[in-house]
Amino acid sequence: MYARTLTTILAGFCAFALLDPVGAQTITRGPYLQTGTPSSVIVRWRTDTATDTRVRYGQSQGSLTNGSCDPTSTTEHEVQLTGLLPQTTYYYAVGTCAANLAGDDADHFFVTSPPPGSQTPTRIWVIGDSGTADADAAAVRDAYIDFNAGAYTQAWLMLGDNAYSDGTDSEYQAAVFDMYPSLLRQAVLWPTLGNHDGRTASSATLSGPYYDIFTLPRFAEAGGLASGTEAYYSFDYANIHFICLDSYDSDLALNGPMLTWLQNDLAATTQNWIIAYWHHPPYSKGSHDSDGSGRLTTMRENVLPILESYGVDLVFSGHSHSYERSYQLHGHYGQSSTLDSAMIVDGGDGRANGDGEYIKDTIGAVYVVAGSSGKVSAGSLDHPVMYLSLPQLGSVVLDVDGNRLDAAFLSDTGVIEDYLTMLKGNLAPSVDAGLDLGVILPADGALNGTVSDDGQPEPPLLTSTWSVLSGPSTVTFGNASAVDTTASFSTAGTYVLRLTSEDGELTSSDEITVTVYPAGTLNQPPSVTAGAGQTITLPDIAALEATVTDDGLPNPPGTVITTWSKLSG
């Protein structure tokens, strides 16, 4: 295991003299970012010869006034910057105590994460089985960089098999550090262990290249509950709780350390979204079949019930070298043949312009196999839980903003091949504008609507507004933003009033018709014409055709009671 020099840098001014870089000292790996939080980040890099260590940083490029020197000589440099401000851009440079070796330019920067629970737009890049270090992996990378168009990547998930074929240090150099240098220096990378990475790594001893290369939050440094190991961990970003599991080399028993921690971690989180990821897919008919025995089956049988009981929203995995995306599911823990309709919460496409977005009220998760970021391999691709399965190179671009989650599969040619939207706890408001009305000038009409959202009557985030859809003149509302209010009319005629309610994502409305009658002499006896006399022959039924008016209004509402009775016969 490479020696780690962990230096805590306290934010504060530190005067220094920048000298010319020493020519014999060269950065051969990185810099790259690890374990980002609202107030800290870890910066790592490797040099060809042993040197002392320093990161200089500040909020303005060319003015890196913070930093301190660690005189320990090493080739593996690891510095934790602390005391940072949340959601703030910092520029940085890495090097020796005397000189910068890289940075202090427009490419070397990071943005600290927002406080947990923040409603902050977040972009996440997800790649799986990307470790081929070839043109296919480069095409997937370039497609994302072009699609992203300079936007900041807040989090980056790597789903295992990050470096083929054995996860050696040299393979990681080619497949990760030489493949993604610009992303690594700006975005925090959160990996999971794949079976190929595990050939040279041990989760029990946290040894081998995978554990040497990555610094992951074993003590809840980035949120969640401390796992005590880098093999599996959790972290928070904005209003998302991420859970990374080790499906290859850790105990998968229900009473084992990992699943015991998982349940406790889920019970502790209050984040709005829960996204889990690991290597072996619980559902797949790609290059691996989840109906076979082994870790795919065990993850489905043991892990999914725990995750779903705490409302997991989205699960990513790799291992199968294809793209597979499920419907919204709950409760399918057996083989593919045991799927029944009750386990499909929403069997649509999850698209607003198609069958409609997936609505996550209490249950329903989407499962994605994204193992085609470096290669595509054969498979039947016909698992019945899947809405779409593609033998296509690509990656997943995930955007979360408040109660809305958008996921898209971006091919290596830059084409969006699949997409979905999930709205969290966000059913369309239920709106009832009330009964149609009849009023006589001059008078006000009492508007009595009812509105609810996600089963809650008039919840705090709901806004409601009355408006005039049609009518001969303007209408004055007592309070147009109140569900129960009054409407004043100045002109007789027919009006259509609309009550609209909006909850930040979805909008609903309902209308009523108000008939406004002209003013007249009030409280005069009604005018009644019972109709003409009739002669009928038995057996027959007489049709009685009467007319009634009151104050000149035909059949006025709620003021005239009309009754037929027998006077004689």
Side-chain angles (χ1 to χ4, degrees), residues 182-244:
S182 62
L183 285 163
L184 285 164
R185 67 175 67 108
Q186 297 174 6
V188 174
L189 174 60
W190 306 90
T192 190
L193 183 74
N195 54 291
H196 284 272
D197 310 300
R199 290 181 178 180
T200 53
S202 168
S203 295
T205 60
L206 300 182
S207 61
Y210 174 86
Y211 290 107
D212 295 338
I213 290 167
F214 298 118
T215 304
L216 304 171
R218 59 193 296 182
F219 300 117
E221 297 95 321
L225 199 67
S227 66
T229 176
E230 291 178 297
Y232 47 90
Y233 58 90
S234 62
F235 65 96
D236 293 326
Y237 193 101
N239 62 344
I240 313 165
H241 186 63
F242 291 93
I243 296 172
C244 176

Short mmCIF file of all heavy atoms in Angstrom, two decimals, residues 182-244:
data_model
loop_
_atom_site.label_atom_id
_atom_site.label_comp_id
_atom_site.label_asym_id
_atom_site.label_seq_id
_atom_site.Cartn_x
_atom_site.Cartn_y
_atom_site.Cartn_z
N SER A 182 -8.76 15.85 -17.35
CA SER A 182 -9.44 17.12 -17.08
C SER A 182 -10.58 16.96 -16.10
O SER A 182 -10.80 17.82 -15.24
CB SER A 182 -9.95 17.72 -18.39
OG SER A 182 -10.90 16.86 -19.01
N LEU A 183 -11.32 15.87 -16.20
CA LEU A 183 -12.42 15.63 -15.26
C LEU A 183 -11.88 15.35 -13.86
O LEU A 183 -12.45 15.81 -12.86
CB LEU A 183 -13.27 14.45 -15.74
CG LEU A 183 -14.20 14.75 -16.91
CD1 LEU A 183 -14.67 13.45 -17.57
CD2 LEU A 183 -15.41 15.54 -16.44
N LEU A 184 -10.79 14.62 -13.77
CA LEU A 184 -10.25 14.25 -12.47
C LEU A 184 -9.80 15.46 -11.67
O LEU A 184 -9.90 15.48 -10.44
CB LEU A 184 -9.07 13.29 -12.65
CG LEU A 184 -9.43 11.84 -13.02
CD1 LEU A 184 -8.21 11.12 -13.55
CD2 LEU A 184 -10.02 11.10 -11.83
N ARG A 185 -9.30 16.49 -12.35
CA ARG A 185 -8.78 17.64 -11.61
C ARG A 185 -9.88 18.61 -11.18
O ARG A 185 -9.61 19.54 -10.42
CB ARG A 185 -7.73 18.38 -12.44
CG ARG A 185 -8.23 19.07 -13.67
CD ARG A 185 -7.13 19.88 -14.34
NE ARG A 185 -6.09 19.03 -14.89
CZ ARG A 185 -5.91 18.82 -16.20
NH1 ARG A 185 -6.71 19.40 -17.08
NH2 ARG A 185 -4.95 18.04 -16.63
N GLN A 186 -11.14 18.37 -11.64
CA GLN A 186 -12.23 19.29 -11.31
C GLN A 186 -13.38 18.63 -10.56
O GLN A 186 -14.04 19.28 -9.75
CB GLN A 186 -12.78 19.93 -12.59
CG GLN A 186 -11.78 20.79 -13.33
CD GLN A 186 -12.30 21.29 -14.65
OE1 GLN A 186 -13.47 21.08 -15.00
NE2 GLN A 186 -11.45 21.94 -15.42
N ALA A 187 -13.68 17.36 -10.84
CA ALA A 187 -14.84 16.68 -10.26
C ALA A 187 -14.39 15.60 -9.28
O ALA A 187 -13.45 14.85 -9.56
CB ALA A 187 -15.70 16.05 -11.37
N VAL A 188 -15.07 15.50 -8.17
CA VAL A 188 -14.77 14.45 -7.19
C VAL A 188 -15.27 13.11 -7.73
O VAL A 188 -16.42 12.99 -8.17
CB VAL A 188 -15.42 14.76 -5.84
CG1 VAL A 188 -15.23 13.60 -4.87
CG2 VAL A 188 -14.84 16.05 -5.26
N LEU A 189 -14.41 12.12 -7.72
CA LEU A 189 -14.72 10.78 -8.22
C LEU A 189 -15.07 9.86 -7.05
O LEU A 189 -14.32 9.78 -6.07
CB LEU A 189 -13.53 10.22 -8.99
CG LEU A 189 -13.61 8.77 -9.47
CD1 LEU A 189 -14.79 8.55 -10.40
CD2 LEU A 189 -12.30 8.36 -10.15
N TRP A 190 -16.22 9.15 -7.19
CA TRP A 190 -16.68 8.22 -6.16
C TRP A 190 -16.81 6.84 -6.79
O TRP A 190 -17.82 6.52 -7.42
CB TRP A 190 -18.03 8.68 -5.60
CG TRP A 190 -18.07 10.09 -5.10
CD1 TRP A 190 -18.38 11.21 -5.82
CD2 TRP A 190 -17.82 10.53 -3.76
NE1 TRP A 190 -18.32 12.32 -5.02
CE2 TRP A 190 -17.99 11.95 -3.74
CE3 TRP A 190 -17.48 9.88 -2.57
CZ2 TRP A 190 -17.82 12.70 -2.59
CZ3 TRP A 190 -17.30 10.65 -1.42
CH2 TRP A 190 -17.48 12.03 -1.44
N PRO A 191 -15.81 5.95 -6.63
CA PRO A 191 -15.83 4.65 -7.31
C PRO A 191 -16.40 3.53 -6.44
O PRO A 191 -16.54 3.66 -5.22
CB PRO A 191 -14.35 4.41 -7.58
CG PRO A 191 -13.69 5.00 -6.35
CD PRO A 191 -14.52 6.21 -5.97
N THR A 192 -16.70 2.42 -7.10
CA THR A 192 -16.98 1.17 -6.41
C THR A 192 -16.10 0.08 -6.98
O THR A 192 -15.55 0.22 -8.09
CB THR A 192 -18.47 0.79 -6.52
OG1 THR A 192 -18.74 -0.30 -5.63
CG2 THR A 192 -18.85 0.37 -7.94
N LEU A 193 -15.94 -0.99 -6.24
CA LEU A 193 -15.04 -2.09 -6.61
C LEU A 193 -15.74 -3.07 -7.53
O LEU A 193 -16.83 -3.55 -7.24
CB LEU A 193 -14.57 -2.80 -5.34
CG LEU A 193 -13.55 -3.94 -5.53
CD1 LEU A 193 -12.18 -3.37 -5.85
CD2 LEU A 193 -13.49 -4.80 -4.26
N GLY A 194 -15.10 -3.38 -8.67
CA GLY A 194 -15.59 -4.42 -9.56
C GLY A 194 -14.79 -5.69 -9.42
O GLY A 194 -13.76 -5.72 -8.75
N ASN A 195 -15.25 -6.75 -10.09
CA ASN A 195 -14.55 -8.03 -9.96
C ASN A 195 -13.15 -7.98 -10.57
O ASN A 195 -12.21 -8.63 -10.07
CB ASN A 195 -15.36 -9.16 -10.57
CG ASN A 195 -15.76 -8.91 -12.00
OD1 ASN A 195 -16.59 -8.03 -12.26
ND2 ASN A 195 -15.21 -9.65 -12.95
N HIS A 196 -12.96 -7.20 -11.64
CA HIS A 196 -11.62 -7.09 -12.21
C HIS A 196 -10.71 -6.25 -11.32
O HIS A 196 -9.52 -6.57 -11.17
CB HIS A 196 -11.70 -6.52 -13.63
CG HIS A 196 -12.16 -7.51 -14.64
ND1 HIS A 196 -11.30 -8.36 -15.30
CD2 HIS A 196 -13.40 -7.81 -15.09
CE1 HIS A 196 -11.99 -9.14 -16.13
NE2 HIS A 196 -13.28 -8.83 -16.02
N ASP A 197 -11.24 -5.20 -10.74
CA ASP A 197 -10.44 -4.43 -9.77
C ASP A 197 -10.05 -5.30 -8.59
O ASP A 197 -8.96 -5.15 -8.02
CB ASP A 197 -11.25 -3.23 -9.26
CG ASP A 197 -11.87 -2.42 -10.37
OD1 ASP A 197 -11.12 -1.91 -11.22
OD2 ASP A 197 -13.10 -2.31 -10.41
N GLY A 198 -10.98 -6.20 -8.22
CA GLY A 198 -10.77 -7.02 -7.04
C GLY A 198 -9.73 -8.11 -7.22
O GLY A 198 -9.34 -8.76 -6.23
N ARG A 199 -9.26 -8.33 -8.44
CA ARG A 199 -8.22 -9.34 -8.64
C ARG A 199 -6.91 -8.96 -7.97
O ARG A 199 -6.09 -9.84 -7.65
CB ARG A 199 -7.99 -9.56 -10.14
CG ARG A 199 -9.15 -10.24 -10.84
CD ARG A 199 -8.86 -10.45 -12.31
NE ARG A 199 -9.96 -11.15 -12.98
CZ ARG A 199 -9.99 -11.46 -14.26
NH1 ARG A 199 -8.94 -11.16 -15.03
NH2 ARG A 199 -11.02 -12.09 -14.79
N THR A 200 -6.69 -7.67 -7.76
CA THR A 200 -5.46 -7.22 -7.11
C THR A 200 -5.74 -6.42 -5.84
O THR A 200 -4.85 -5.73 -5.34
CB THR A 200 -4.65 -6.34 -8.08
OG1 THR A 200 -5.50 -5.30 -8.59
CG2 THR A 200 -4.11 -7.17 -9.24
N ALA A 201 -6.97 -6.50 -5.33
CA ALA A 201 -7.33 -5.73 -4.14
C ALA A 201 -8.07 -6.62 -3.16
O ALA A 201 -8.75 -7.57 -3.54
CB ALA A 201 -8.19 -4.53 -4.52
N SER A 202 -7.99 -6.26 -1.90
CA SER A 202 -8.67 -7.00 -0.84
C SER A 202 -9.49 -6.03 0.00
O SER A 202 -8.94 -5.09 0.59
CB SER A 202 -7.67 -7.73 0.06
OG SER A 202 -8.29 -8.21 1.23
N SER A 203 -10.81 -6.29 0.06
CA SER A 203 -11.67 -5.44 0.89
C SER A 203 -11.46 -5.72 2.37
O SER A 203 -11.66 -4.83 3.21
CB SER A 203 -13.14 -5.66 0.53
OG SER A 203 -13.39 -5.23 -0.80
N ALA A 204 -11.06 -6.94 2.70
CA ALA A 204 -10.86 -7.29 4.11
C ALA A 204 -9.70 -6.50 4.71
O ALA A 204 -9.77 -6.05 5.87
CB ALA A 204 -10.62 -8.78 4.24
N THR A 205 -8.63 -6.31 3.93
CA THR A 205 -7.45 -5.63 4.45
C THR A 205 -7.29 -4.22 3.87
O THR A 205 -6.34 -3.51 4.23
CB THR A 205 -6.18 -6.44 4.12
OG1 THR A 205 -6.08 -6.58 2.69
CG2 THR A 205 -6.25 -7.82 4.76
N LEU A 206 -8.22 -3.82 2.99
CA LEU A 206 -8.16 -2.52 2.33
C LEU A 206 -6.80 -2.31 1.68
O LEU A 206 -6.17 -1.25 1.80
CB LEU A 206 -8.47 -1.38 3.31
CG LEU A 206 -9.85 -1.41 3.98
CD1 LEU A 206 -10.02 -0.20 4.88
CD2 LEU A 206 -10.96 -1.47 2.95
N SER A 207 -6.36 -3.32 0.96
CA SER A 207 -5.05 -3.27 0.33
C SER A 207 -5.18 -3.52 -1.16
O SER A 207 -6.21 -4.02 -1.65
CB SER A 207 -4.12 -4.32 0.95
OG SER A 207 -4.66 -5.63 0.76
N GLY A 208 -4.14 -3.17 -1.90
CA GLY A 208 -4.12 -3.33 -3.34
C GLY A 208 -4.31 -2.00 -4.03
O GLY A 208 -4.66 -0.99 -3.41
N PRO A 209 -4.08 -1.95 -5.34
CA PRO A 209 -4.13 -0.68 -6.07
C PRO A 209 -5.42 0.10 -5.88
O PRO A 209 -5.38 1.33 -5.72
CB PRO A 209 -3.92 -1.11 -7.53
CG PRO A 209 -3.11 -2.35 -7.44
CD PRO A 209 -3.59 -3.06 -6.21
N TYR A 210 -6.58 -0.57 -5.93
CA TYR A 210 -7.85 0.15 -5.79
C TYR A 210 -7.87 0.95 -4.49
O TYR A 210 -8.22 2.14 -4.47
CB TYR A 210 -9.02 -0.82 -5.84
CG TYR A 210 -10.37 -0.19 -5.56
CD1 TYR A 210 -11.11 0.41 -6.58
CD2 TYR A 210 -10.92 -0.20 -4.27
CE1 TYR A 210 -12.35 0.98 -6.34
CE2 TYR A 210 -12.16 0.38 -4.02
CZ TYR A 210 -12.87 0.97 -5.05
OH TYR A 210 -14.09 1.53 -4.79
N TYR A 211 -7.51 0.31 -3.38
CA TYR A 211 -7.55 0.99 -2.09
C TYR A 211 -6.38 1.94 -1.89
O TYR A 211 -6.48 2.90 -1.10
CB TYR A 211 -7.63 -0.04 -0.96
CG TYR A 211 -8.97 -0.75 -0.94
CD1 TYR A 211 -9.09 -2.07 -1.37
CD2 TYR A 211 -10.11 -0.08 -0.54
CE1 TYR A 211 -10.32 -2.71 -1.38
CE2 TYR A 211 -11.35 -0.70 -0.55
CZ TYR A 211 -11.46 -2.01 -0.97
OH TYR A 211 -12.70 -2.63 -0.98
N ASP A 212 -5.28 1.72 -2.61
CA ASP A 212 -4.18 2.66 -2.54
C ASP A 212 -4.50 3.95 -3.28
O ASP A 212 -4.10 5.04 -2.86
CB ASP A 212 -2.92 2.04 -3.16
CG ASP A 212 -2.41 0.85 -2.37
OD1 ASP A 212 -2.74 0.75 -1.17
OD2 ASP A 212 -1.67 0.03 -2.95
N ILE A 213 -5.20 3.83 -4.38
CA ILE A 213 -5.44 4.96 -5.27
C ILE A 213 -6.52 5.89 -4.73
O ILE A 213 -6.41 7.12 -4.83
CB ILE A 213 -5.81 4.45 -6.67
CG1 ILE A 213 -4.58 3.82 -7.35
CG2 ILE A 213 -6.41 5.55 -7.54
CD1 ILE A 213 -4.91 3.02 -8.58
N PHE A 214 -7.59 5.32 -4.17
CA PHE A 214 -8.75 6.12 -3.77
C PHE A 214 -8.79 6.35 -2.27
O PHE A 214 -8.47 5.46 -1.48
CB PHE A 214 -10.04 5.43 -4.22
CG PHE A 214 -10.14 5.27 -5.72
CD1 PHE A 214 -10.21 4.01 -6.29
CD2 PHE A 214 -10.14 6.37 -6.55
CE1 PHE A 214 -10.27 3.85 -7.66
CE2 PHE A 214 -10.22 6.24 -7.93
CZ PHE A 214 -10.28 4.97 -8.49
N THR A 215 -9.20 7.56 -1.90
CA THR A 215 -9.41 7.92 -0.49
C THR A 215 -10.90 8.15 -0.31
O THR A 215 -11.45 9.17 -0.75
CB THR A 215 -8.63 9.19 -0.12
OG1 THR A 215 -7.24 9.00 -0.42
CG2 THR A 215 -8.79 9.51 1.36
N LEU A 216 -11.57 7.23 0.34
CA LEU A 216 -13.03 7.20 0.41
C LEU A 216 -13.49 7.35 1.86
O LEU A 216 -12.78 6.98 2.80
CB LEU A 216 -13.54 5.89 -0.20
CG LEU A 216 -13.06 5.67 -1.65
CD1 LEU A 216 -13.40 4.28 -2.15
CD2 LEU A 216 -13.61 6.74 -2.58
N PRO A 217 -14.70 7.85 2.09
CA PRO A 217 -15.13 8.28 3.43
C PRO A 217 -15.60 7.12 4.32
O PRO A 217 -16.78 6.81 4.39
CB PRO A 217 -16.27 9.25 3.13
CG PRO A 217 -16.85 8.76 1.84
CD PRO A 217 -15.70 8.22 1.05
N ARG A 218 -14.69 6.55 5.04
CA ARG A 218 -15.03 5.43 5.92
C ARG A 218 -15.61 5.89 7.26
O ARG A 218 -16.24 5.10 7.97
CB ARG A 218 -13.80 4.55 6.16
CG ARG A 218 -12.64 5.29 6.79
CD ARG A 218 -11.34 4.51 6.73
NE ARG A 218 -11.39 3.27 7.49
CZ ARG A 218 -10.34 2.44 7.61
NH1 ARG A 218 -9.20 2.72 7.02
NH2 ARG A 218 -10.44 1.34 8.33
N PHE A 219 -15.40 7.15 7.63
CA PHE A 219 -15.84 7.65 8.93
C PHE A 219 -16.92 8.74 8.79
O PHE A 219 -16.99 9.65 9.61
CB PHE A 219 -14.64 8.18 9.72
CG PHE A 219 -13.59 7.14 9.98
CD1 PHE A 219 -12.32 7.28 9.46
CD2 PHE A 219 -13.89 6.00 10.72
CE1 PHE A 219 -11.35 6.31 9.69
CE2 PHE A 219 -12.93 5.02 10.94
CZ PHE A 219 -11.65 5.17 10.42
N ALA A 220 -17.72 8.65 7.75
CA ALA A 220 -18.83 9.59 7.51
C ALA A 220 -18.33 11.01 7.32
O ALA A 220 -19.02 11.97 7.67
CB ALA A 220 -19.85 9.52 8.65
N GLU A 221 -17.15 11.15 6.73
CA GLU A 221 -16.59 12.48 6.51
C GLU A 221 -17.45 13.32 5.57
O GLU A 221 -17.43 14.56 5.64
CB GLU A 221 -15.18 12.37 5.93
CG GLU A 221 -14.16 11.68 6.83
CD GLU A 221 -14.01 10.20 6.51
OE1 GLU A 221 -15.04 9.55 6.22
OE2 GLU A 221 -12.87 9.69 6.55
N ALA A 222 -18.21 12.67 4.70
CA ALA A 222 -19.01 13.39 3.70
C ALA A 222 -20.50 13.20 3.92
O ALA A 222 -21.30 13.41 3.02
CB ALA A 222 -18.62 12.94 2.30
N GLY A 223 -20.87 12.83 5.14
CA GLY A 223 -22.28 12.60 5.44
C GLY A 223 -22.59 11.13 5.58
O GLY A 223 -21.74 10.26 5.39
N GLY A 224 -23.83 10.83 5.91
CA GLY A 224 -24.21 9.44 6.11
C GLY A 224 -23.71 8.91 7.44
O GLY A 224 -23.36 9.66 8.36
N LEU A 225 -23.65 7.59 7.52
CA LEU A 225 -23.23 6.90 8.74
C LEU A 225 -21.87 6.25 8.49
O LEU A 225 -21.64 5.68 7.43
CB LEU A 225 -24.26 5.85 9.12
CG LEU A 225 -24.27 5.33 10.56
CD1 LEU A 225 -24.69 6.44 11.52
CD2 LEU A 225 -25.22 4.14 10.68
N ALA A 226 -20.99 6.33 9.46
CA ALA A 226 -19.65 5.76 9.30
C ALA A 226 -19.74 4.26 9.07
O ALA A 226 -20.39 3.54 9.84
CB ALA A 226 -18.81 6.07 10.53
N SER A 227 -19.07 3.78 8.01
CA SER A 227 -19.03 2.34 7.73
C SER A 227 -17.80 1.69 8.32
O SER A 227 -17.76 0.47 8.50
CB SER A 227 -19.05 2.09 6.22
OG SER A 227 -17.85 2.58 5.62
N GLY A 228 -16.77 2.49 8.59
CA GLY A 228 -15.53 1.94 9.11
C GLY A 228 -14.64 1.32 8.05
O GLY A 228 -13.59 0.76 8.38
N THR A 229 -15.05 1.40 6.78
CA THR A 229 -14.27 0.80 5.70
C THR A 229 -14.46 1.61 4.43
O THR A 229 -15.49 2.27 4.24
CB THR A 229 -14.71 -0.65 5.46
OG1 THR A 229 -14.00 -1.19 4.34
CG2 THR A 229 -16.21 -0.75 5.18
N GLU A 230 -13.44 1.55 3.55
CA GLU A 230 -13.56 2.18 2.24
C GLU A 230 -14.22 1.25 1.22
O GLU A 230 -14.47 1.67 0.09
CB GLU A 230 -12.19 2.61 1.74
CG GLU A 230 -11.58 3.75 2.53
CD GLU A 230 -10.19 4.12 2.03
OE1 GLU A 230 -9.29 3.25 2.11
OE2 GLU A 230 -10.01 5.26 1.55
N ALA A 231 -14.51 0.02 1.61
CA ALA A 231 -15.14 -0.93 0.68
C ALA A 231 -16.58 -0.52 0.37
O ALA A 231 -17.07 -0.75 -0.73
CB ALA A 231 -15.10 -2.33 1.26
N TYR A 232 -17.27 0.04 1.35
CA TYR A 232 -18.62 0.55 1.15
C TYR A 232 -18.77 1.78 2.04
O TYR A 232 -18.20 1.88 3.12
CB TYR A 232 -19.69 -0.50 1.47
CG TYR A 232 -19.49 -1.24 2.78
CD1 TYR A 232 -20.03 -0.77 3.97
CD2 TYR A 232 -18.76 -2.43 2.81
CE1 TYR A 232 -19.85 -1.45 5.17
CE2 TYR A 232 -18.56 -3.12 4.01
CZ TYR A 232 -19.11 -2.64 5.17
OH TYR A 232 -18.94 -3.31 6.36
N TYR A 233 -19.55 2.74 1.56
CA TYR A 233 -19.63 4.04 2.23
C TYR A 233 -20.85 4.78 1.70
O TYR A 233 -21.50 4.36 0.73
CB TYR A 233 -18.35 4.84 1.95
CG TYR A 233 -18.07 5.07 0.48
CD1 TYR A 233 -18.56 6.20 -0.19
CD2 TYR A 233 -17.32 4.15 -0.26
CE1 TYR A 233 -18.32 6.40 -1.54
CE2 TYR A 233 -17.07 4.35 -1.61
CZ TYR A 233 -17.57 5.47 -2.26
OH TYR A 233 -17.33 5.67 -3.59
N SER A 234 -21.14 5.92 2.31
CA SER A 234 -22.21 6.79 1.82
C SER A 234 -21.73 8.23 1.89
O SER A 234 -20.76 8.55 2.58
CB SER A 234 -23.49 6.61 2.64
OG SER A 234 -23.29 6.97 4.00
N PHE A 235 -22.41 9.08 1.14
CA PHE A 235 -22.10 10.51 1.19
C PHE A 235 -23.33 11.29 0.74
O PHE A 235 -24.23 10.74 0.07
CB PHE A 235 -20.88 10.87 0.33
CG PHE A 235 -21.07 10.66 -1.15
CD1 PHE A 235 -21.43 11.71 -1.99
CD2 PHE A 235 -20.86 9.42 -1.73
CE1 PHE A 235 -21.59 11.53 -3.36
CE2 PHE A 235 -21.00 9.22 -3.10
CZ PHE A 235 -21.38 10.28 -3.91
N ASP A 236 -23.37 12.55 1.13
CA ASP A 236 -24.48 13.43 0.78
C ASP A 236 -23.99 14.50 -0.19
O ASP A 236 -22.87 15.02 -0.05
CB ASP A 236 -25.05 14.12 2.02
CG ASP A 236 -25.75 13.15 2.96
OD1 ASP A 236 -26.35 12.18 2.47
OD2 ASP A 236 -25.68 13.36 4.18
N TYR A 237 -24.84 14.82 -1.15
CA TYR A 237 -24.60 15.99 -2.00
C TYR A 237 -25.95 16.66 -2.22
O TYR A 237 -26.88 16.04 -2.72
CB TYR A 237 -23.99 15.60 -3.35
CG TYR A 237 -23.47 16.83 -4.09
CD1 TYR A 237 -22.13 17.14 -4.09
CD2 TYR A 237 -24.36 17.70 -4.73
CE1 TYR A 237 -21.66 18.29 -4.71
CE2 TYR A 237 -23.90 18.85 -5.35
CZ TYR A 237 -22.55 19.14 -5.34
OH TYR A 237 -22.09 20.28 -5.96
N ALA A 238 -26.05 17.95 -1.82
CA ALA A 238 -27.31 18.69 -1.91
C ALA A 238 -28.40 17.88 -1.19
O ALA A 238 -28.23 17.54 -0.02
CB ALA A 238 -27.67 19.01 -3.35
N ASN A 239 -29.49 17.53 -1.89
CA ASN A 239 -30.57 16.77 -1.24
C ASN A 239 -30.55 15.30 -1.64
O ASN A 239 -31.57 14.62 -1.57
CB ASN A 239 -31.93 17.39 -1.58
CG ASN A 239 -32.23 17.35 -3.07
OD1 ASN A 239 -31.36 17.14 -3.90
ND2 ASN A 239 -33.49 17.57 -3.42
N ILE A 240 -29.37 14.80 -2.02
CA ILE A 240 -29.21 13.40 -2.44
C ILE A 240 -28.35 12.65 -1.44
O ILE A 240 -27.30 13.15 -1.00
CB ILE A 240 -28.54 13.30 -3.82
CG1 ILE A 240 -29.19 14.27 -4.82
CG2 ILE A 240 -28.59 11.88 -4.36
CD1 ILE A 240 -28.37 14.49 -6.07
N HIS A 241 -28.77 11.44 -1.10
CA HIS A 241 -27.96 10.53 -0.29
C HIS A 241 -27.48 9.41 -1.20
O HIS A 241 -28.28 8.67 -1.78
CB HIS A 241 -28.78 9.96 0.86
CG HIS A 241 -27.97 9.14 1.82
ND1 HIS A 241 -26.94 9.65 2.56
CD2 HIS A 241 -28.05 7.81 2.15
CE1 HIS A 241 -26.42 8.70 3.32
NE2 HIS A 241 -27.07 7.57 3.09
N PHE A 242 -26.17 9.31 -1.38
CA PHE A 242 -25.56 8.27 -2.21
C PHE A 242 -25.06 7.13 -1.33
O PHE A 242 -24.45 7.38 -0.28
CB PHE A 242 -24.38 8.83 -3.00
CG PHE A 242 -24.76 9.80 -4.09
CD1 PHE A 242 -24.78 11.17 -3.83
CD2 PHE A 242 -25.06 9.36 -5.37
CE1 PHE A 242 -25.11 12.07 -4.84
CE2 PHE A 242 -25.39 10.25 -6.38
CZ PHE A 242 -25.41 11.61 -6.12
N ILE A 243 -25.29 5.91 -1.78
CA ILE A 243 -24.81 4.73 -1.06
C ILE A 243 -24.01 3.88 -2.04
O ILE A 243 -24.52 3.47 -3.09
CB ILE A 243 -25.98 3.90 -0.50
CG1 ILE A 243 -26.75 4.72 0.54
CG2 ILE A 243 -25.47 2.60 0.10
CD1 ILE A 243 -28.03 4.05 1.00
N CYS A 244 -22.75 3.63 -1.71
CA CYS A 244 -21.88 2.77 -2.51
C CYS A 244 -21.66 1.46 -1.76
O CYS A 244 -21.19 1.46 -0.62
CB CYS A 244 -20.54 3.47 -2.76
SG CYS A 244 -19.35 2.43 -3.64
#
